[in-house]
């Protein structure tokens, strides 16, 4: 169901409109390779925060996709496999989805349409954004918390918005 | 389990305390007709953003209900049916919920109590709010992203808070 | 799988860096006793808001944990039991998780490692934060909405960040 993808995940950043000292918005670009894939983007988000110069405030991390989610969890490799298995149980890729049935579907069709009904269903239960409080230029993440872009579809180009918003000096 | 509802979804807005130039909070009112129902409220949220005059910042979209969620996904009609089917699998309406058992329940009872244990359970996995970054007066939504109020209970009056918060000029 | 815990949930607050009038960030500490456990922390969040002196803006409520979530739902005791049952169906504690298999796991190990693969999986579907709009010093919560810290692991010490962020006077 997915085209081949051999390029590893890679971040790329593109600053967008730093509207004032202590605030900043950046676009992070990634190339995922398969699904489900948990990409740990914590360090990239922290780098945006440092470039912003923001001391106190919070960061919004936002996925611009309907089949790739933003979630916070632990970066333990076996756990990621457990979570992948749970997602596959909740919305398996190998059952019937009307969204995948090109004999009845008429809208939002693209030339390289993926069969990704399961990806959308999994995304519905995970969400597009998280907001993380920051103090002294650091996100207040707990000991085990890491921020993930979760690829639920095939490997492809993905974009995450990171916005640092100051709450005063 | 639901009373009849024949009025279509309709938005209505009610400005609340625009505290400063570039920030605004509004209440959007809808009447849903059934469940699950995915109401695409993206244009209403964008209209609040435009009325705010905000250039850079973000928007919080917040459901004031425990059986109606705010989610971002794709507005493909067959996909919405797939997601409805998944929600029904995760928390079916036709199984036993203690919340629905009026022989044992003693609190939070209303005169027109719905049997909506499944609605609450589905809501727990979806959430009440999303935060969406904005640049140049536009939400940075991806190509397929639409904002939904997801009715999980019976058709009824619903209220969504939209808050535009500027991060400087 | 959980060590004994006999201390009831208790909040404790610790103000952190109120950066300006109308903004405030506080840490709330709780001791949970079992899982799943829905701790209603709404009054504690409201108290932070009042201490902030903020009139218009929003509150971010953020769990610093990967096995304890922040969610908004109704505080009806039987419903909480229904939701606990649903979580147990989605990710049961008594099935195999690679994260729990200490014969193959090599990273993120602690001395008192819990067998909590199911807790992480449940957390993935719930999320770490919610953002709640505020007007006139009050959160715009709906009639039935209460804010919960949801313990998914064993009873233990937990920390929630509450951040009030003003959007002008």
């Amino acid at each position: 169901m997915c085209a081949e993808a051999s390029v590893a995940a890679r971040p790329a950043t593109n600053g967008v409109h730093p509207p004032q000292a202590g605030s900043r918005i950046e676009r992070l670009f990634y190339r995922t390779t398969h699904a489900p894939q948990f990409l740990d983007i914590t360090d990239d988000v922290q780098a945006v925060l440092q470039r912003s110069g923001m001391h106190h405030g919070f960061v919004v991390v936002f996925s611009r996709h309907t089949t790739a989610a933003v979630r916070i969890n632990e970066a333990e490799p076996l756990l990621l496999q457990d979570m992948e298995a749970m997602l596959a149980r909740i919305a398996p890729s190998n059952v019937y989805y009307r969204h995948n049935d090109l004999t009845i579907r008429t809208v939002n069709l693209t030339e390289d349409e993926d069969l990704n009904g399961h990806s959308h269903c999994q995304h519905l239960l995970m969400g597009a954004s998280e907001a993380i409080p920051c103090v002294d230029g650091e996100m207040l993440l707990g000991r085990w918390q890491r921020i993930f872009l979760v690829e639920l579809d095939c490997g492809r180009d993905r974009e995450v918005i990171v916005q640092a918003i100051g709450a005063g000096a």
Side-chain angles (χ1 to χ4, degrees), chain A:
Chain A
M1 293 160 64
C2 295
E4 283 293 315
S6 58
V7 186
R10 56 164 177 73
T13 67
N14 178 12
V16 178
H17 301 278
Q20 67 177 19
S23 289
R24 187 179 184 89
I25 188 164
E26 286 194 31
R27 304 161 69 184
L28 302 179
F29 298 96
Y30 298 92
R31 172 128 190 126
T32 60
T33 57
H34 60 282
Q37 181 182 13
F38 285 77
L39 271 178
D40 186 336
I41 64 172
T42 313
D43 293 344
D44 299 333
V45 175
Q46 179 64 33
V48 173
L49 179 57
Q50 281 166 343
R51 283 190 290 272
S52 78
M54 187 184 88
H55 286 282
H56 302 303
F58 68 103
V59 165
V60 173
V61 183
F62 180 80
S63 161
R64 297 191 73 196
H65 305 282
T66 54
T67 55
V70 168
R71 292 276 90 174
I72 295 173
N73 216 302
E74 180 182 342
E76 195 278 298
L78 298 178
L79 175 64
L80 300 184
Q81 295 178 35
D82 290 326
M83 296 196 287
E84 292 165 10
M86 179 194 64
L87 293 172
R89 281 198 310 273
I90 290 176
S93 62
N94 60 353
V95 301
Y96 178 79
Y97 293 92
R98 295 172 67 84
H99 183 62
N100 296 353
D101 187 343
L102 303 185
T103 67
I104 57 173
R105 189 164 146 205
T106 57
V107 302
N108 286 15
L109 288 162
T110 59
E111 283 194 12
D112 56 342
E113 189 66 30
D114 276 326
L115 302 180
N116 61 6
H118 66 291
S119 317
H120 286 284
C121 286
Q122 294 169 0
H123 185 270
L124 186 71
L125 304 179
M126 301 177 74
S129 67
E130 286 278 10
I132 304 148
C134 304
V135 165
D136 288 335
E138 299 282 339
M139 292 185 283
L140 290 179
L141 292 172
R143 178 179 181 191
W144 302 114
Q145 286 187 308
R146 303 293 291 179
I147 306 167
F148 291 96
L149 173 65
V150 188
E151 177 61 76
L152 301 167
D153 205 332
C154 303
R156 54 181 58 196
D157 292 320
R158 295 299 196 180
E159 183 179 340
V160 173
I161 305 292
V162 179
Q163 187 171 29
I165 299 175

